Amino acid sequence: MTSIQNAVEDEFGDVDRLAIYNLLPSTSPSAVLPLGAIVAIKEPYYKRTADGGLFVRVDHPTDFVPLKPGNSIIPSSLAARITKKSTSALRLKECGNSAFKSGDFETAADFYSDALEVAGQGEDELKQDLHRNRAAANLRIGRYDLAITDALASLLPPGNTSETTRSVNIKALYRAGKAAYEMQDFNQAKRYFDQALELDGGHKEARAEIARTVKRISEQENGHYNFVVMAKSATMQHSQLDHSSFLRRTKVSQTDNRGRGLFSTERLVPGDIVFVEKAFNVAHRDGENISVLLNLNTDRISLGTHNLRLYGTIDKIIWNPTFAKNYLDLFDGGKFKREEEPKVIDGRVIVDTFQVQSIAELNGFGCPRVKSRDESDTNEKSLDHETSTGIWLQASYANHSCLPNVTRAFIGDMMIVHAVRDIPAGGEIFMGYLSPDIPFAERTKRLNDHYGFRCHCDLCQAEAEVPKVAVEKRARLSKEIKLFLSTNRLNSNDIGMIPGAKKARARQLLVEIRETYPKALFEQLPRLQCVEIGLWVAQSAMVKPQYALGKFIDVLRDLGYFVTIKGRNVTVDRRGAVQRVHAVHAAMYAAQCLAAIGNEGAALALESFGKGVFIAISGSEDGFAVEFGRS
């Protein structure tokens, strides 16, 4: 809904307004449409404005091309207005250096490009300097593919062993390594840094980068992370973390009837790390204003960070063909033309903004600003305007189930995914796009309207057979339970003084809502609307540990965990498990009850189970002892 605008005049003297959309909010209007600039618009079209006029609208930033003096497509009547200054390549290089020092890296890159255009024969050394300098500028503005190309183009012949040659080649290799690192190509980054150290083994910056890169390779190959340290490092100001993705336990393959999906490459058991992935792009709410994204193709309005996610993704893939190829491979709804390789024209990847947005809508994830459980849980794939949103490429290939076999958590821009139950080698990995707590009819409608499919998981098949009268009764009881819980909050110090009438009312509500889950249909499935009232009933009975223990085990059963305690041994059948913090509470309270009746062995086993669920929904064990540890 917002654009950069200016008045424009064509070769015939006609004047209109020009509006360029879908640029980063940080983009300076004067840098896009400065006074006197000559620009070309690909596939131009008029759009009616709110004030009843017309303007030339550009939705795809790559359809907008600033033209330099002397460009052959500039009409003669416009070209005549421009006085082409004869500026040497050396002078343009100095202008670029000045812009670089002032922090205007985009202008610096433009000056270096202009200098390369006018540099003549016999100025090879100057050209190499320009490539090297432009590599540094491109590195600063996230144009990593271009930075690598420039850095390698600036290398001097290896036969020259002078100190100057070694110095400039070290700079070039170091910049190529830094760019490869930012592209998560850590093995290639290490090769560049190794080559730099071969020229000067004492180069401090290259040695530091080697050490950092080796850590990333270890994470990438072995999944070696210290999640507690990672969690402590994530803050509001530092949410883009310096870590790599661990993906070797998963692969993308074709499914029988759901397009592509994500599959395990080895057997996984509950609690195993399935994968860890760094975000492709994350957008956070900036300030108090609520942003709006209006999609003219779909007539859909999105509130929150969806617009920032769109702009950031466009800016990232325009300048990086490697990123563009990976992003544009994701499912876009099947309405757009797909290319084997991104097309690069006029120095930029050609992108369809509406395709980029369609991919984001179908593959975006809601996420916390810093880490999971710092805010309300983010169980949906796309959430409301209060949340941050992001794109994780590998995770996007996972298909949906209302009973997912993995749980995702977030630390900064890292997604950590754990197995909920056994997943065989070659088994498909399922995530939840929407929370199974959402009533079946609403959940089905939202999945169909937004993603275009109907879920056929065991839970949905069971819900589809629940009689209408039971569905209506459950909806009514859910409202009553919500009201009861909001007006009867439990305080651990007052549990012994809860009036018997309130306990009886809670037990009655629990019995009635469990009746809305027919045993024949839900014998092995979760009964999620029973969980919160069940937890209240169990906690209110803590003065009788043996009795309360059974109630907490019932809460775990309502979450799909079927717990059996035989002496000191505890077994948990997770076939229908839904990972929620309520499971941690139920397990830890049950452990307290077991300890109170003298079964410390079973208590420790349930504590271990609760800790495992906590790690899966939080990303690390950081905070577990403080929140749930037994005194």
Side-chain angles (χ1 to χ4, degrees), residues 388-459:
S388 301
T389 55
I391 301 289
W392 284 262
L393 299 178
Q394 189 84 343
S396 293
Y397 290 102
N399 284 310
H400 166 80
S401 171
C402 298
L403 289 176
N405 54 8
V406 299
T407 296
R408 61 181 177 267
F410 299 91
I411 301 177
D413 62 344
M414 304 297 295
M415 180 190 290
I416 301 107
V417 178
H418 288 85
V420 174
R421 44 190 159 268
D422 290 331
I423 302 175
E428 187 169 2
I429 293 163
F430 292 99
M431 285 191 173
Y433 293 3
L434 296 177
S435 169
D437 297 280
I438 299 171
F440 171 66
E442 180 186 348
R443 194 169 74 241
T444 298
K445 183 178 187 306
R446 287 172 64 176
L447 286 172
N448 183 67
D449 290 350
H450 192 89
Y451 298 104
F453 68 82
R454 183 185 178 98
C455 180
H456 297 284
C457 72
D458 290 345
L459 182 61

Side-chain angles (χ1 to χ4, degrees), residues 64-114:
F64 167 75
V65 186
L67 301 176
K68 295 175 182 176
N71 191 298
S72 61
I73 73 169
I74 297 177
S76 56
S77 59
L78 295 179
R81 302 185 186 186
I82 302 174
T83 302
K84 186 176 179 181
K85 297 179 180 179
S86 178
T87 307
S88 69
L90 184 59
R91 175 59 185 150
L92 289 168
K93 176 190 173 184
E94 292 171 351
C95 292
N97 291 345
S98 178
F100 190 96
K101 289 178 182 177
S102 67
D104 189 354
F105 304 114
E106 190 166 350
T107 298
D110 288 340
F111 273 122
Y112 296 140
S113 297
D114 292 343

